[in-house]
Amino acid sequence: MSDSKKSDVRVVPLLPLREIIVFPNMVLPLFVGREKSINALEEAMGADKEIVLSAQKKAKTNDPTPDDIFSVGTVAVIDQLFQLPDGTVKVLVRGKERVEIKDYVENDSFLQVKVASIAEKVDPEKDIDAIMKLVRETFDTYVNLNKRIPPEMLSLVAKIESPGRLADTIVAQLALKLRDKQDILENDDAASRLERLDSLMKEEIEILQVERKIRSRVKKQMEKSQKDFYEGQSGGKDLTENEFKNEIDELEERISQKELTEEAEERLARELKKLKMMSPMSAEATVVRNYIDWVLSLPWGDLTEDRLNIKEAHETLESDHYGLAKPKERILEYLSVQSLVDTPRGPILCFVGPPGVGKTSLGRSIATATNRQFVRISLGGVRDEAEIRGHRRTYIGALPGKIIQSLRKAGSSNPVFLFDEVDKMSTDFRGDPSSALLEVLDPEQNATFNDHYLDLDYDLSKVMFICTANNLHGIPAPLQDRMEIIQIPGYTDYEKLQISRNYLIPKQLENNGISDVEVSFTSSAISRVINQYTREAGVRSLEREIGSVCRKIAREVVENGKDQKFKVDTKAIPKHLGPPKFSHGKIEESDHIGMTNGMAWTQFGGVMLVSEVSVMAGKGKFIITGKLGDVMQESAQAAMSYVRSRALNLGLTADFHQKVDIHVHFPEGALPKDGPSAGITMATSIVSALTNTPVKHDVAMTGEITLRGRVLPIGGLKEKVMAAHRGGIKTVIIPSENTKDIRDIPKSIRKKLEIIAVEHMDEVLTHALRLDNPEAFAAQLSKPLLPPDVRQEEGKVVH
C-alpha cells in the first residue's frame, strides 16, 4: 500500500469515533461530548475546518491513546457546528478523502496527528464495469429485502460512475461489523473493495431470506392455529346460523320462564327481534346479547322470606352487639309492622357515629336477624354519578350501576342494602353521586328506580336501605331529609368493658389459637387497657391491644406448653403492652384558687378539661390561651362580661378590670379545643381568682353561659359525666335543661355521683366555691344589680 501513498504530510486535529466509520463523500451528524474532542473541533473551526475521523478499536475507552485508534481514517470537512444546552456539541461532517495516520503530535488539549493522503487505484487486469454492474444488481436485491434502506438509494447508486465512490456510497448503507467496514476503508483498490462488498451483501441477503421464510412460516402456523381453534369451537365448522339460532331459542325460553314487569317484557321482545336480524359476529349483536342477559339475570320479584319472630330477631341482634339500643329497637319495630301490614315500605336508616362503634357490622347483623341477603357498597371517594346509575348503552363497555349489580349478586329484591361512608362522597365534572342517591333513598320514588343502562323501572321499595356516616356535615341536606337519622354515640368505659368480656376477648383467644388455654382478664386490667392504651370512641384499638396480649400468651404457650394458667391483671398489662400511651385526667388532691374542673366531649369520648386563671397587676388585658377555637374564645368573653356585671355583688370595684390583667388558660395547649360548654367553668375560675376563693377540687361542671348568667344546655352529657367519674369527681354541675339526659348515664355511675342541675351562674358559684357561709354568699349574689357608676367602698365578699 505504501507505494500508492502521496509524499505530502500535514498536521490535522483528530476526532476519535465510537462504533462509527466515516467514508469519503459521506455526510452525517455527530454528537461530541468529550473535552478533548470538543477542543479538536474548535481548533479545526479556527483553521481550514478539516478534521481527521478515525474509529476507536474499543468503544468503551473514554480516553483513547494512539494504540486504541485505527491508523487509517477519513479527513472530513465541518459544515455546521452547534453548541447544545447540556454542554455537548452537534457537528455535521462531510467525508473528503482517505488518509493514513503517520504520527501523533504531542498536545495536552486535544489529539493532533500527521496524516498522508491515500491515492485511489484500480487493478487494470479486472473488468471494473462488470464488477460495478454486479454490485448494483446485488445492492438492488439487498434493498428489496431490507426495508430500512430507502428505495431512492437505487437511483442514486445507478448514477455513480466512479468505482471508488460507488463502493464508499454502498458500504455506508450496510449494517456491517465495525471490523469489516474498517477493512474496506483501508483497502485502496476500488475493484477489490467492490468485490468484497458484493460478497458481504450476498451473505446479508442469505440471512434476510432465511428471516423472511421464518416469518412467513410462523404467520401461516398462527393462521392455521386460529382456524383450528375456531373450528373446534364450532364443532369442526365455522360459526353458523344454526348455532346463533340455538342461542336465540335459549334466550326466548328464558324470557318466557322469567317473571318480568310488563315494560321489561316488551323491551326484551324488541331487543330479541333486533338480535334476530343481526349478524352473529357483529359488535352490535354482542351489545344486545349482554343487555338481554343482564335483564334476565336480575331478581325481578324474587323475595326472601323475612323472619317475623321478634324474639328470635332480638336474640340475634343482642348476640352480635352490646348496647346500641335505639337502632335495635327501630329494627324490631319494622319487623312488628311487617307482620301486621301486607306491603310495608323498607326503612331508610342512617347510622351516624364515630369510627369503630359497629355501624357496618350492625348492618350485617340486621340482615341476619331479618333473614335477608346482605349487600354492602362503599361510597368513600366515589365521585361519578354513573357508579350509582350506570352508563348508557351508547358507551363502549357500558355496565349498570352498583345498585343493579349488587341486586344481581344478592339474588333477591329485598336485601339489606348498606351504603357505607355516605358522607365521604365527592363531586367532579362527571356528576354528583349524592344527587343520584336522592331517587334511591326516597320512599316515594324508589319503586320506579331507573338505571341508565337498563332504562327500565326497577322496584327498590322493598329493599331495607341503611347508610353509615361519621358525621352529618358531609351529607347534603336533601339527602338527610330522606333518611331516618340514628345517632350512635361512642361507647362508655363500662360498655367497652362489657364488650371486651363478651365479644373481643373470646374472639381474640380463638383467633390466636389459645381458646382451649385457661386465660382470664381481670376487670381492672381491661379498664387499664381502655384508659391508658386506647383513646377512641369505638373498640378497634381496644381489640388490637387485647389481640397483642393474646399473642404474647400464645408465644408462652408454644414455649412452655398449655398446662398452665394465665391471669392478666393490672401488673401484667405493662409487661405485655409496654408503658401507658395515654393519661386520663385525674383531680387535684386539694382545692386551688383559679382552677376549675371542666368536662369536654371529643370524638373519642369524654375528657376532663381544667380551666386555670391568673390575675396580675396590669392595665385591663384579657388573655385567652390553650389553642381555643372562635366559639370558645367568645364564650370566655361572655364569662368575663358576666363577672364584670356582677362585680359589686362579688365585692369587687366596678373598675377592677382596668387595674389588672386576667389570663385564662387551658392546659395541653397543643390540642385544639372549641365549643361553648366551658363557659361556666371559665366564669368560676375568673371569680375564684378575683375573689381569692378556692374552688372545690372534687367538683366538675359543664354548661354554656350567657351575659346575664343563665346556664344553657350542652351535648354529650353521658360521655362527660363518665369522664368525670373516671377522674375521681364526686359532684357534677350540669344545666337544668340537661336533666332529661341523665337517664342515659348508667345507674351504677349515677349512684356514685352527686349531679346538681342549675339554671343560673350564681348557683354554680355557690356549689363550686369553698365558702365559709354559702347562704350569705348566695344572698349577696341575689341582690339587684347596681348601676355601673356606683362604687361599693365597704362591700366585701362573704366567706
Side-chain angles (χ1 to χ4, degrees):
M1 188 190 300
S2 60
D3 295 338
S4 64
K5 298 184 176 69
K6 293 181 181 179
S7 59
D8 61 319
V9 176
R10 60 189 187 276
V11 178
V12 186
L14 171 66
L15 177 62
L17 303 179
R18 304 175 194 253
E19 299 290 346
I20 299 176
I21 301 291
V22 177
F23 290 87
N25 302 304
M26 181 177 174
V27 178
L28 81 163
L30 299 173
F31 292 90
V32 182
R34 289 183 285 194
E35 184 178 355
K36 284 188 176 182
S37 299
I38 295 175
N39 292 338
L41 289 172
E42 292 176 349
E43 175 69 16
M45 289 296 291
D48 55 1
K49 295 187 179 181
E50 286 191 350
I51 191 165
V52 176
L53 304 176
S54 184
Q56 295 179 192
K57 297 176 182 178
K58 294 183 180 179
K60 293 183 179 179
T61 304
N62 289 323
D63 191 10
T65 62
D67 294 336
D68 298 322
I69 301 173
F70 290 111
S71 61
V72 175
T74 303
V75 168
V77 177
I78 301 174
D79 288 338
Q80 292 179 348
L81 187 144
F82 302 99
Q83 188 79 31
L84 299 179
D86 60 354
T88 60
V89 173
K90 180 181 179 182
V91 59
L92 185 67
V93 296
R94 173 170 42 85
K96 185 177 179 183
E97 62 176 338
R98 284 177 172 77
V99 293
E100 181 181 9
I101 299 174
K102 291 295 187 177
D103 194 10
Y104 281 78
V105 178
E106 189 172 343
N107 192 326
D108 294 333
S109 299
F110 56 89
L111 294 175
Q112 197 170 23
V113 292
K114 295 179 179 179
V115 297
S117 300
I118 299 176
E120 190 77 56
K121 70 178 183 179
V122 178
D123 190 345
E125 296 181 359
K126 295 182 180 180
D127 187 352
I128 192 64
D129 292 334
I131 295 175
M132 291 177 65
K133 181 180 179 182
L134 178 63
V135 169
R136 287 192 182 100
E137 291 174 353
T138 306
F139 185 65
D140 184 273
T141 304
Y142 181 80
V143 171
N144 290 330
L145 290 172
N146 192 337
K147 302 301 181 184
R148 286 176 292 183
I149 300 177
E152 294 80 8
M153 285 300 302
L154 294 175
S155 59
L156 177 64
V157 167
K159 297 176 182 178
I160 298 176
E161 297 180 357
S162 168
R165 185 173 181 182
L166 177 64
D168 293 340
T169 303
I170 291 177
V171 73
Q173 303 298 322
L174 304 182
L176 301 178
K177 294 179 181 179
L178 184 70
R179 183 70 256 185
D180 291 335
K181 284 191 174 184
Q182 182 65 27
D183 289 343
I184 292 175
L185 181 66
E186 294 177 358
N187 193 340
D188 58 355
D189 186 351
S192 177
R193 289 208 305 274
L194 287 172
E195 289 175 343
R196 177 61 178 156
L197 264 180
D198 186 68
S199 175
L200 290 172
M201 282 192 293
K202 287 178 178 177
E203 291 177 4
E204 289 293 318
I205 288 171
E206 288 182 6
I207 296 172
L208 292 172
Q209 287 175 339
V210 170
E211 289 179 353
R212 175 174 284 190
K213 289 179 181 178
I214 292 173
R215 283 197 297 268
S216 177
R217 189 161 59 246
V218 170
K219 183 179 179 181
K220 289 180 179 178
Q221 185 64 35
M222 289 181 63
E223 291 175 351
K224 183 177 183 302
S225 300
Q226 290 178 345
K227 183 177 180 181
D228 292 343
F229 172 78
Y230 286 120
E231 288 179 352
Q233 292 290 312
S234 60
K237 58 183 179 180
D238 294 333
L239 288 173
T240 61
E241 293 186 0
N242 289 333
E243 183 179 356
F244 186 51
K245 185 176 183 302
N246 292 337
E247 185 178 355
I248 291 178
D249 292 341
E250 181 184 346
L251 290 175
E252 286 180 336
E253 184 179 357
R254 289 176 61 189
I255 293 172
S256 63
Q257 294 176 354
K258 187 75 173 180
E259 292 186 10
L260 301 168
T261 62
E262 184 177 348
E263 181 188 17
E265 285 183 357
E266 293 177 358
R267 177 66 57 79
L268 289 185
R270 289 201 304 269
E271 294 294 329
L272 197 61
K273 182 179 179 181
K274 189 193 305 181
L275 182 62
K276 291 178 181 178
M277 300 171 64
M278 293 179 180
S279 167
M281 299 303 293
S282 67
E284 183 66 21
T286 303
V287 172
V288 173
R289 277 201 298 265
N290 287 340
Y291 175 80
I292 295 175
D293 186 63
W294 262 107
V295 175
L296 292 175
S297 63
L298 293 177
W300 300 87
D302 296 339
L303 305 173
T304 56
E305 187 176 351
D306 287 344
R307 179 187 288 128
L308 301 179
N309 189 316
I310 304 300
K311 184 178 180 181
E312 289 182 7
H314 178 69
E315 291 175 354
T316 301
L317 292 173
E318 289 295 332
S319 64
D320 290 343
H321 292 81
Y322 180 85
L324 305 180
K326 289 184 179 179
K328 290 179 182 177
E329 182 180 358
R330 181 64 183 85
I331 298 305
L332 296 177
E333 289 173 357
Y334 167 73
L335 293 177
S336 301
V337 171
Q338 192 174 27
S339 63
L340 300 175
V341 180
D342 293 335
T343 56
R345 292 183 180 272
I348 300 173
L349 310 178
C350 183
F351 298 151
V352 180
V357 296
K359 302 183 296 295
T360 303
S361 59
L362 180 60
R364 193 179 298 276
S365 297
I366 291 172
T368 305
T370 56
N371 194 36
R372 292 190 178 196
Q373 299 295 324
F374 178 72
V375 177
R376 174 184 169 272
I377 295 180
S378 179
L379 296 179
V382 171
R383 56 180 69 235
D384 188 356
E385 179 206 3
E387 292 283 337
I388 306 298
R389 306 193 64 166
H391 294 88
R392 301 190 186 279
R393 279 195 289 160
T394 52
Y395 297 103
I396 296 174
L399 285 173
K402 293 286 189 182
I403 293 176
I404 294 298
Q405 291 184 37
S406 299
L407 286 173
R408 177 188 184 181
K409 182 179 177 181
S412 69
S413 292
N414 64 337
V416 173
F417 216 117
L418 181 75
F419 289 116
D420 212 2
E421 309 293 354
V422 74
D423 58 329
K424 307 295 191 304
M425 286 186 293
S426 305
T427 303
D428 68 0
F429 65 93
R430 290 170 290 187
D432 183 2
S434 62
S435 298
L437 281 179
L438 294 177
E439 179 186 4
V440 178
L441 299 179
D442 191 338
E444 301 299 328
Q445 300 180 40
N446 63 10
T448 56
F449 172 70
N450 194 287
D451 184 272
H452 287 159
Y453 180 82
L454 296 182
D455 196 22
L456 295 171
D457 289 341
Y458 196 95
D459 186 4
L460 299 178
S461 62
K462 296 179 176 61
V463 177
M464 181 185 293
F465 287 106
I466 297 175
C467 301
T468 70
N470 294 129
N471 58 70
L472 293 173
H473 302 300
I475 306 176
L479 195 57
Q480 290 187 39
D481 186 56
R482 284 162 167 78
M483 301 184 293
E484 182 178 342
I485 308 295
I486 298 179
Q487 295 283 350
I488 300 182
Y491 293 116
T492 63
D493 289 358
Y494 176 77
E495 290 171 335
K496 290 181 181 179
L497 178 63
Q498 298 303 317
I499 292 171
S500 299
R501 286 209 169 281
N502 299 330
Y503 303 94
L504 303 184
I505 292 176
K507 178 182 177 181
Q508 288 301 320
L509 290 176
E510 183 177 353
N511 289 349
N512 290 282
I514 54 175
S515 56
D516 56 343
V517 179
E518 190 171 341
V519 180
S520 61
F521 285 74
T522 64
S523 297
S524 57
I526 300 174
S527 297
R528 184 169 188 180
V529 174
I530 294 170
N531 294 326
Q532 297 184 359
Y533 292 88
T534 65
R535 178 168 288 178
E536 59 176 346
V539 291
R540 284 179 181 154
S541 294
L542 177 59
E543 183 175 5
R544 281 193 290 268
E545 298 297 338
I546 292 174
S548 180
V549 174
C550 291
R551 288 194 297 274
K552 301 289 193 303
I553 295 175
R555 179 179 175 181
E556 293 184 30
V557 168
V558 172
E559 292 176 350
N560 304 319
K562 297 184 178 181
D563 299 331
Q564 52 183 326
K565 298 179 181 179
F566 296 91
K567 182 179 181 181
V568 182
D569 53 18
T570 53
K571 294 181 180 179
I573 294 300
K575 173 186 173 184
H576 294 306
L577 300 180
K581 301 176 182 177
F582 306 101
S583 60
H584 286 264
K586 290 290 183 181
I587 64 171
E588 298 286 334
E589 296 181 357
S590 58
D591 301 340
H592 291 276
I593 294 174
M595 182 181 290
T596 307
N597 294 316
M599 299 178 289
W601 179 92
T602 70
Q603 60 176 336
F604 308 115
V607 294
M608 294 289 293
L609 196 64
V610 178
S611 169
E612 298 178 345
V613 172
S614 179
V615 178
M616 305 151 286
K619 298 182 179 180
K621 290 183 180 179
F622 186 58
I623 307 167
I624 310 168
T625 58
K627 201 172 184 181
L628 310 183
D630 293 340
V631 176
M632 201 165 182
Q633 292 188 42
E634 292 174 359
S635 184
Q637 296 286 354
M640 184 61 193
S641 296
Y642 160 77
V643 174
R644 286 179 58 187
S645 70
R646 308 288 286 175
L648 302 181
N649 299 73
L650 293 170
L652 305 171
T653 60
D655 60 347
F656 76 92
H657 60 284
Q658 299 177 359
K659 303 174 182 178
V660 295
D661 289 343
I662 300 175
H663 186 169
V664 179
H665 178 68
F666 286 84
E668 299 186 25
L671 300 177
K673 311 167 188 72
D674 204 0
S677 64
I680 65 173
T681 307
M682 290 185 281
T684 302
S685 293
I686 294 171
V687 171
S688 170
L690 289 172
T691 62
N692 205 33
T693 307
V695 182
K696 296 177 183 178
H697 70 282
D698 57 353
V699 173
M701 61 189 69
T702 181
E704 180 180 354
I705 189 173
T706 68
L707 295 178
R708 298 184 179 183
R710 291 181 55 220
V711 180
L712 301 184
I714 45 79
L717 181 66
K718 175 184 174 183
E719 290 79 6
K720 293 179 178 179
V721 173
M722 295 287 292
H725 173 261
R726 184 170 59 244
I729 296 296
K730 303 298 181 184
T731 303
V732 175
I733 300 175
I734 66 171
S736 60
E737 292 185 40
N738 281 111
T739 52
K740 64 183 184 301
D741 301 319
I742 294 178
R743 63 175 186 172
D744 295 334
I745 303 170
K747 290 182 180 179
S748 58
I749 293 177
R750 294 205 304 262
K751 292 179 180 179
K752 297 178 182 179
L753 291 175
E754 179 186 3
I755 300 177
I756 301 174
V758 298
E759 294 184 355
H760 199 274
M761 187 63 210
D762 295 349
E763 301 174 62
V764 177
L765 296 174
T766 303
H767 291 292
L769 297 178
R770 183 68 69 183
L771 303 169
D772 296 331
N773 191 344
E775 292 79 9
F777 180 78
Q780 184 169 320
L781 287 178
S782 63
K783 292 180 180 179
L785 291 175
L786 298 175
D789 58 343
V790 176
R791 299 291 183 265
Q792 181 173 338
E793 300 294 340
E794 300 179 356
K796 294 182 180 179
V797 67
V798 180
H799 294 283

